[in-house]
Amino acid sequence: MNPVIDLLKSHRSIRKFTARALSPEQIDAIVTSAQAASTSSNVQAYSIIAVTEPDIKSEVARLAGSLAYVEQSGLFLVFCADLHRIRTATEQQGEMFHQNAESFIVATVDAALAAQNAAIAAESMGLGVCYIGSIRNEIEHVSRLLKLPELVYPVFGLTIGVPDQEPSFRPRLPKQAVVHQNAYQPDRIEAGIEAYDEVMHEYYKVRTNGKTLTNWSSGIADKYRKPVRGHMRSFLEAQGFRLD
Ligand SMILES: Cc1cc2nc3c(=O)[nH]c(=O)nc-3n(C[C@H](O)[C@H](O)[C@H](O)COP(=O)(O)O)c2cc1C
């Protein structure tokens, strides 16, 4: 259709990189693109930590689950939701800073939008990316390691590098299960899941040479049959965020 849409449709996460480092121009283009993303009321409530020091990168890779693709990436960026800077600006104006669940959402969404712009910019240069939400497994350690102040939390990392693999496209849910006309249509959900399970069953079978015979909903059920990262709320409150 056009090169941007072709690029978006060709996305797949990359989990193996060559040893080639990114050039300063590439890094600058990625970060500038991240900053160009839309941001709620121009608050820009996020910060990006570029983890370049090998010891720190290794430690983050370990905390994220001993991920080689974090350690070996050409660039590892941690996107943080950040209310610290806007509290500073508010207080410098002599005003009281108020925050709540709304400001938490604003900061988290801002961080995600900036990250996705960074991801697309990287992919447009032929680089591969993978988001790393598993830094939240050890969010307290990661925050301490990166010296995050109060009102800043790491939403996820983004590994970026020269791809050393060509994974196949991971199919998405059928549109009728995701896109609704004018109002939510719950009656489409079950059929959508069923159709997608069939597609994903085949995808896993092919991708693992017949070893994995699962589907999408059994993977989802496996993940959601117990609470995921139940430490998040207490961590966020200790970090100064108010979720009321
Ligand atoms: C917020 C977020 C966090 C993610 N965290 C991880 C992660 O910790 N480790 C990982 O290998 N992939 C992670 N991923 C990648 C997803 O697994 C991947 O995007 C998804 O399965 C779809 O596959 P695709 O990106 O290849 O299309 C994450 C993706 C997102 C958006």
Side-chain angles (χ1 to χ4, degrees), residues 170-184:
R170 185 171 288 204
R172 297 304 202 245
L173 280 156
K175 284 194 186 60
Q176 63 268 28
V178 176
V179 184
H180 304 268
Q181 301 300 327
N182 303 310
Y184 199 96

Side-chain angles (χ1 to χ4, degrees), residues 6 8 21 29 48 59 75 88 92 107 123 134 138 147 158 170 178 190-192 194 198 200 207-208 221 229:
D6 288 344
L8 294 172
I48 303 169
E59 185 60 1
L75 179 64
T88 305
Q92 277 175 353
E123 290 181 336
S134 64
E138 295 288 347
K147 302 191 165 63
L158 187 69
R170 185 171 288 204
V178 176
E190 277 186 26
E194 213 171 290
E198 275 178 37
M200 289 306 279
R207 192 169 154 147
T208 63
R229 295 182 189 128

